[in-house]
Amino acid sequence: ERGQLAPEQLLPLVEHADNGVAVEAALALALVGNAEQAQALALAAGSAQDPRRIGALLFAAAALGCVQAVAEIRTRLQKSEAADPCLVDALAIAGDDSDAFLLMNLATLPDADADYLLLSAANLGCAATVRALPSFADRVPKNVLDEAKRLILGDGQDPPADTRGPSVRLLRGQPWSVPGLVARLRASDETIRSQRRLALELRVRTGLLPPAVLPSFAPAQTRSKALAHWTDHFARASGRLPAGQWYYQGKPAKLARKGVA
């Protein structure tokens, strides 16, 4: 957040002997790295041994635009490996509607962190997943289920009765859009953790490098100026990314999936 290390300084640290250092360097690169570094992060994940390091490297590679990293994340989660939070987060900000069902299925496993998985699935805004939420009532607190529903439908709305048509991505009851996502960064009811995820998702979905790291701990006036800069910066993506769809690096997410070699 303070910009003390440039991406070029962070990249060698992902190979550091200390897993803790490597993980933090990878997570920082997800925020400030360059698209050109995505492949190097994916390659580093392929040779890593520590699960936490692998998860962080794949997360960063996916955030910076490596479609192969997103495919590898899906493969690992489909094998029902331990649902590393980094892998879950990656699908929550880079996946499409089918990934919502993958995360929901993982939430049914006996030792799964169902709360986290359901909220991550809800971040993908697939209305059909709302119908499955009541089946978790005996495992997940009501406030978590309510928030998962609210993430998709907003307050006081029910899922569409007919889900046979084309899927529409929703964000609190409205078709997902870049301006809608920017607006959530201003919302007083978003936690700092949620705001950080939303800020990273803006980059992942639009393919635009943010003008600066959005400060989490800053005076209100400073943060307000930063948000105004973000609003202007990401406005250019609004016209080319129609509302209600899933995107990855400025393109439809389904097309990115097909582009995996």
Side-chain angles (χ1 to χ4, degrees):
E1 184 170 312
R2 296 190 178 101
Q4 298 297 305
L5 290 174
E8 294 73 20
Q9 295 172 291
L10 287 166
L11 186 59
L13 293 178
V14 304
E15 303 277 12
H16 198 280
D18 187 313
N19 284 318
V21 172
V23 166
E24 293 303 322
L27 296 179
L29 278 169
L31 296 173
V32 303
N34 304 312
E36 294 77 11
Q37 296 171 322
Q39 196 62 39
L41 290 165
L43 289 173
S47 60
Q49 300 297 319
D50 180 73
R52 290 187 308 130
R53 186 189 294 239
I54 294 170
L57 287 166
L58 287 174
F59 171 79
L64 297 182
C66 179
V67 292
Q68 290 83 3
V70 179
E72 175 63 18
I73 288 167
R74 288 190 178 109
T75 297
R76 286 175 175 269
L77 292 178
Q78 285 166 353
K79 291 178 180 178
S80 299
E81 295 184 14
D84 184 292
C86 283
L87 302 184
V88 173
D89 280 344
L91 287 194
I93 64 172
D96 55 40
D97 50 335
S98 66
D99 295 311
F101 294 99
L102 170 56
L103 296 177
M104 295 281 281
N105 286 335
L106 286 171
T108 66
L109 299 177
D111 297 326
D113 185 350
D115 297 25
Y116 194 72
L117 285 160
L118 291 183
L119 291 173
S120 298
N123 191 70
L124 287 165
C126 184
T129 65
V130 176
R131 302 185 187 282
L133 292 176
S135 65
F136 291 91
D138 61 340
R139 296 184 56 199
V140 175
K142 183 178 183 301
N143 67 310
V144 174
L145 296 177
D146 289 345
E147 178 59 17
K149 182 178 179 182
R150 205 161 29 241
L151 282 170
I152 301 171
L153 300 178
D155 292 310
Q157 295 193 50
D158 293 319
D162 187 355
T163 58
R164 292 174 296 178
S167 295
V168 174
R169 184 179 184 186
L170 298 174
L171 176 62
R172 295 188 181 268
Q174 300 298 320
W176 183 97
S177 66
V178 173
L181 198 59
V182 174
R184 291 310 306 171
L185 290 175
R186 298 178 178 274
S188 60
D189 59 339
E190 291 287 357
T191 64
I192 289 176
R193 182 172 187 173
S194 176
Q195 287 176 346
R196 284 176 170 169
R197 172 186 269 184
L198 292 170
L200 183 56
E201 182 168 359
L202 266 172
R203 174 180 186 168
V204 173
R205 297 299 182 181
T206 65
L208 293 176
L209 181 68
V213 176
L214 190 65
S216 300
F217 304 99
Q221 186 176 12
T222 301
R223 183 171 171 81
S224 180
K225 287 182 178 179
L227 282 169
H229 197 185
W230 274 55
T231 300
D232 293 341
H233 180 77
F234 284 102
R236 72 182 76 174
S238 300
R240 60 183 177 83
L241 300 181
Q245 298 302 311
W246 291 264
Y247 297 101
Y248 182 64
Q249 300 297 317
K251 299 177 181 179
K254 297 288 188 184
L255 292 181
R257 182 193 283 250
K258 292 177 181 177
V260 177

